[in-house]
Amino acid sequence: MLFPTIEFAVFFLVVLTLSWLFMPYPRIWKVFIILASFVFYGYADLRFIALLATAIFVNYFGAVAIGRTENQRARKTALTLTLIANLGLLAWFKYYGFFVSSFLAAAENFNIAPSIPLLQIILPVGISFFLFQGISYVVDVYRREYPVCGFMNVAIYLSFFPHLVAGPIVRAREFMPQLATPRSPRAIPATPALFLIAGGFAKKILLADLIGLDLVDPVFGSPTAFSSFDVALAILGYSAQIYLDFSGYTDIAIGTAMLLGFWFPQNFNRPYTAASLQDFWRRWHMTLSRWLRDYLYIPLGGNKKGKLRTALNIFITMLLGGLWHGATWNFVLWGGLQGAGLVTERSLTARRLKKGKAPAGAWPKGLSILVVFLFVTFAWVLFRAPDLTTAAAVVSQLWLGIGQPTTLVTFSVLVVVAVGLGLQWIPPRFWQSLQRRYARMPLVVQGVGMGLFVVVVTSLIGQRGVAPFIYFQF
Amino acid sequence: MWFRPIPEIEAGDTGLPSGTDLDALAEASGSGPAVIGRGLETQISQASDREFIYHPWLTTWVGPKTTAAGVIGCVAAAVLTGFVFNTGYVLSTATGMPDGQVKSALTAVAEPVHSWAQGARLNVFSDGIQTALGRQSAFTDEFDTSSVLALVEQSQPSNGPLGGGPSGASIGVPLIPVAPDTSAPPIEVANEPTQAAREPALLPKLIAPYAKNAPPRQLPVMSSDLTQPSADDRLKVLIAGDSLSTYPGFLMQEQLADIDLVRSKLIWHNGTGLTKPRLLDWRAYLAEQVERRNADVVVMFLGANDMGSLTKKGKVIPPHSDQWRGEYALRVVAVTDAALKAGASSVIWVGPPTARSKQTDKYYRDINVALGAADDVIDDLYVIDLSTGVEYKETGRSSGRVVPLRQADGIHWTRAGSSEPANAILTVLETGYPSLAPRLQAARAEEIG
């Protein structure tokens, strides 16, 4: 089920009401919210429910097996088996085609033709997100950072519908305590939660979808058909689109969870205002960054094993982070590029510190922000292009397309891209002040206002419909 | 009572010293006062950990906080407002859903509310925005085909299945003229004077020659009297359709980009089709696009989203019936006729390909049957049928490598798979524009084995 749809509006109103009605009865509430989450997930394809249930069973029993013994060897074995099960599911659904086609291509070079079927397996929505949460839970139990939890709690933790299909990636120790007692029905910050939902809705269907449909999709579909200016704006436009699309989704997720009484971690913090690449990754998809840090970078040794090993660890982490996004060489290269960028930046900063200079160098902050933004924006080309050939064609069209007639750049597209990127520069206090003024109105009037806002947005987009969120494919 | 009050959590429950101010501790943790209970000590002990970062709008909120009942009231007010002031949108979205219980339930609610809202002029707000943006504000799936009934009545199924014009090449093999299929029975033209009376009788007969026995898969041959392009009068190809048009359309744009006598343009609207004109009225839209772009040839990819009932004069025509196929054929005729009247010289219509899912494929087969019938009505419509008698193929070999031909949904082509429809279209274009034939042949993508 997509968030910005009529089905979800009806679903959420029903679930919100029943959830608060059942809240004083934790057992009933837990059964109810699991069922609601399964309905949400199985709405598009019932078969996915079996996968989600499998993930819950695997991680619940895995954690129980780890937690029931003090024997380190047994704990390690249980952890390894649970990780294999999680990663096996991920590998089958997400990476089978990639690895088989890559293997077949490699075998072709040696004149070998192994008969491995190349299947196009339907990628279940959000599989990476809930499996990553499962991994974080069992690893935390193994590390004795969090105790073994009951089956119902694990089921809710993995399937809770606001974060189910595209995060944020919530950790057990920040979510499970919220299941310990009923949520308080007396102090819900409704106005900012509603602003998050309405803002996410507008970001997604008013801005991101328009940029995608009118600018980015045509250029990345057929780059040679467009002028340099079209291509340059499409590259810039994709930076705006992916931010608006993904942060819009997580804003809705955080807002809906809040209305149900649950706190989700922040996932975006105005990422294009970052003055360094490291800063960017602390602001972009923050919950994935910390997951990679805690469950990949640190286990690899982090920064505790010398400069060279630290650089290698950063590079490997980003490379695998890239592969997490999708099973193509584009994502691997994109991750590698980010890793190389981070390693270079770290090395330059260390050199400056060694010489007793300021870590940020002599550049004005504005220039640093611009450089980081341009680096990130150009790296997105690899992220968006369906294959490396198209990515190369997009970049080369920047000069090959000089002189071709510009067809995609219109006033409305320019405005939408500018607004999409400019939103991040509006100070948070502006929105907070707006929310405080809005909150002075009676609640029902606030609701009517939000409804009218939705009417305006849906009327503006006409009958275009809602495109799937970009991050659903991951 | 609406909500049973939840007892306050005592400090002792958390394992913290008795008398601890829980709210103050929770506030200090940055988690907000809503986070209470036994897990609190875990939260608080890790309050300094930077992983617990919540959205600043929520954590720094100093405005009033709301009760659960208030939240429910507020959300209900928002949903109701969004519904009653925009019932046309809701109804059109509901009717555009795949057939099923959700669609039935939502439509059953939306229809009477829409009638009431229209009477009360509540849609004036959303309609005003639509009108200001130059869009039609009507939300209806009605499709008036009365203007093309005469065309259907005049037509003869001269060439049998899929034989609108002189038929020719099997896909991927040299052109072979195919003799007209005289076995197809002629359409009996109803004599009733009123359109309402003659239409139901006409529709099943329209599609009858195509509904049984899969016809051979052939590519159509275009008319031989088309104006050949020149430097002063380039051939303008408009590629249009739903999401299925994207990859083949992109590929075609690249294929045609190097031919200086040809200009191509791709326009697509995801999720649209002829069963749901309120999403996009393709007849009006295509005519406008053809006129604006001065298009000579229209390449249509439409039908893959048409997996549902049709609405005709307030009645529902269920899928997989002769009536459905006949009505669909009429709509194809109407869209094609509009494009031709707007200035196009021919329309090449690519039907949805064989799908992996048998259920989906049943619809696609019907659509290709309807396309075949429409093909017989209009001479300048050329149908490419990639479904009838064609097995679904998941992968193929390109440059010796195994490549996926379809995306994971088993419907959309991949970039590699797009070469099949794109090459088929170029082959058809060659027949109409022999002056471009060598260059069109050179532009063809590698055939996937």
Side-chain angles (χ1 to χ4, degrees), chain B residues 120-348:
Chain B
R121 295 178 57 76
L122 292 181
N123 281 328
V124 69
F125 186 47
S126 58
D127 283 354
I129 295 174
Q130 301 280 353
T131 310
L133 293 170
R135 302 190 192 118
Q136 64 167 33
S137 57
F139 293 97
T140 173
D141 275 332
E142 290 285 345
F143 194 115
D144 183 9
T145 50
S146 57
S147 61
V148 295
L149 282 179
L151 273 174
V152 177
E153 288 169 345
Q154 289 157 16
S155 70
Q156 296 293 319
S158 54
N159 298 308
L162 299 183
S167 293
S170 297
I171 293 169
V173 299
L175 292 169
I176 304 165
V178 173
D181 178 2
T182 50
S183 63
I187 288 177
E188 290 174 25
V189 179
N191 293 321
E192 285 82 357
T194 62
Q195 172 208 323
R198 71 191 193 215
E199 203 170 296
L202 183 64
L203 297 181
K205 286 172 185 167
L206 175 67
I207 56 90
Y210 308 93
K212 290 172 188 167
N213 302 327
R217 186 171 167 237
Q218 297 154 354
L219 285 181
V221 175
M222 293 180 85
S223 167
S224 56
D225 58 0
L226 293 166
T227 307
Q228 298 300 300
S230 65
D232 296 331
D233 184 16
R234 291 177 172 142
L235 177 69
K236 286 171 278 298
V237 179
L238 177 64
I239 308 157
D242 53 28
S243 58
L244 223 60
S245 68
T246 51
Y247 271 116
F250 292 145
L251 182 59
M252 274 190 69
Q253 281 192 303
E254 285 176 13
Q255 289 171 324
L256 298 175
D258 292 335
I259 305 177
D260 53 5
L261 296 182
V262 183
R263 288 282 173 271
S264 64
K265 174 74 186 172
L266 169 66
I267 49 168
W268 79 93
H269 289 270
N270 294 344
T272 59
L274 297 185
T275 55
K276 31 195 168 184
R278 35 102 213 142
L279 280 184
L280 184 69
D281 179 359
W282 270 103
R283 177 165 48 182
Y285 178 71
L286 190 63
E288 187 262 327
Q289 289 292 321
V290 168
E291 200 168 341
R292 182 149 73 92
R293 301 180 189 282
N294 206 14
D296 300 303
V297 176
V298 175
V299 177
M300 282 295 278
F301 289 82
L302 203 62
N305 297 303
D306 290 325
M307 292 183 283
S309 48
L310 287 162
T311 309
K312 183 79 174 176
K313 295 181 182 131
K315 289 185 178 163
V316 173
I317 305 174
H320 311 309
S321 63
D322 281 356
Q323 203 71 10
W324 191 96
R325 291 182 278 261
E327 171 62 21
Y328 198 91
L330 281 182
R331 293 186 182 196
V332 173
V333 170
V335 172
T336 306
D337 185 51
L340 295 174
K341 282 185 176 148
S345 57
S346 39
V347 174
I348 299 171

Side-chain angles (χ1 to χ4, degrees), chain A residues 171-229:
Chain A
R171 291 184 62 165
R173 60 186 178 191
E174 68 192 330
F175 185 78
M176 297 287 199
Q178 300 184 55
L179 297 174
T181 56
R183 307 286 75 220
S184 168
R186 288 187 292 272
I188 303 162
T191 307
L194 288 170
F195 263 69
L196 279 170
I197 295 169
F201 181 72
K203 273 182 182 176
K204 164 64 183 163
I205 69 170
L206 195 59
L207 302 176
D209 284 1
L210 193 142
I211 294 171
L213 201 62
D214 290 356
L215 178 66
V216 176
D217 292 353
V219 167
F220 280 84
S222 182
T224 53
F226 298 99
S227 71
S228 303
F229 193 30

Side-chain angles (χ1 to χ4, degrees), chain A residues 250-265:
Chain A
T250 45
D251 285 351
I252 299 173
I254 293 168
T256 50
M258 191 73 263
L259 293 182
L260 289 162
F262 288 87
W263 291 75
F264 277 1

